[in-house]
C-alpha cells in the first residue's frame, strides 16, 4: 500500500488530467465529439453507420464536419454512444 501522501499526489495528478480533458472536450466540434464517443465505444465508422441504418459516408461527413445529423439522428447517436443528447448536440 502506498503512503498516504503518495496516494494523494497520484489522485491530484489524475484530477488535473481529468480537468484538462474536460476543458479540451468543450472546444471540440460536433464531429470530433462523435468520433471520440464512437472510439470510446470501440465502434468502427461502418459499424456505427450500420447500427443507425445509414451509409458510412454519412457518419464520415458528420465527423469531418461537412454535415450535421438531424434531430432524430442526434437522439439515436446519444443512445448508441451512451451520452446525454445535450453533450453531443
Amino acid at each position: 500500500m502506498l503512503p498516504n501522501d503518495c496516494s494523494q499526489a497520484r489522485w491530484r495528478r489524475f484530477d488535473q488530467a481529468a480537468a484538462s480533458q474536460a476543458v479540451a472536450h468543450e472546444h471540440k466540434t460536433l464531429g470530433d465529439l462523435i468520433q471520440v464517443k464512437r472510439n470510446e465505444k470501440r465502434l468502427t465508422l461502418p459499424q456505427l453507420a450500420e447500427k443507425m441504418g445509414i451509409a458510412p459516408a454519412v457518419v464520415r461527413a458528420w465527423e469531418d464536419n461537412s454535415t450535421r445529423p438531424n434531430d432524430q439522428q442526434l437522439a439515436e447517436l446519444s443512445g448508441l454512444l451512451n451520452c446525454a443528447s445535450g453533450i453531443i448536440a
Side-chain angles (χ1 to χ4, degrees), residues 31-84:
D32 291 337
L33 284 173
I34 293 170
Q35 186 174 27
V36 165
K37 292 295 187 180
R38 176 177 61 77
N39 289 330
E40 285 176 0
K41 295 295 289 180
R42 298 182 192 274
L43 289 171
T44 64
L45 192 145
Q47 288 171 331
L48 178 59
E50 183 178 341
K51 286 180 180 284
M52 294 188 70
I54 58 177
V58 174
V59 177
R60 187 174 302 109
W62 295 342
E63 291 184 358
D64 290 343
N65 295 299
S66 301
T67 62
R68 288 182 51 92
N70 63 33
D71 291 341
Q72 180 181 352
Q73 292 166 329
L74 280 173
E76 189 174 357
L77 273 173
S78 297
L80 287 170
L81 302 178
N82 292 337
C83 60

Side-chain angles (χ1 to χ4, degrees), residues 1-15:
M1 184 164 169
L2 292 173
N4 200 21
D5 58 336
C6 290
S7 181
Q8 288 176 353
R10 185 172 45 123
W11 279 108
R12 222 179 351 263
R13 284 193 305 276
F14 174 79
D15 287 344

Side-chain angles (χ1 to χ4, degrees), residues 20-39:
S20 295
Q21 188 176 21
V23 169
H25 272 323
E26 290 177 1
H27 299 290
K28 289 187 178 282
T29 64
L30 176 60
D32 291 337
L33 284 173
I34 293 170
Q35 186 174 27
V36 165
K37 292 295 187 180
R38 176 177 61 77
N39 289 330

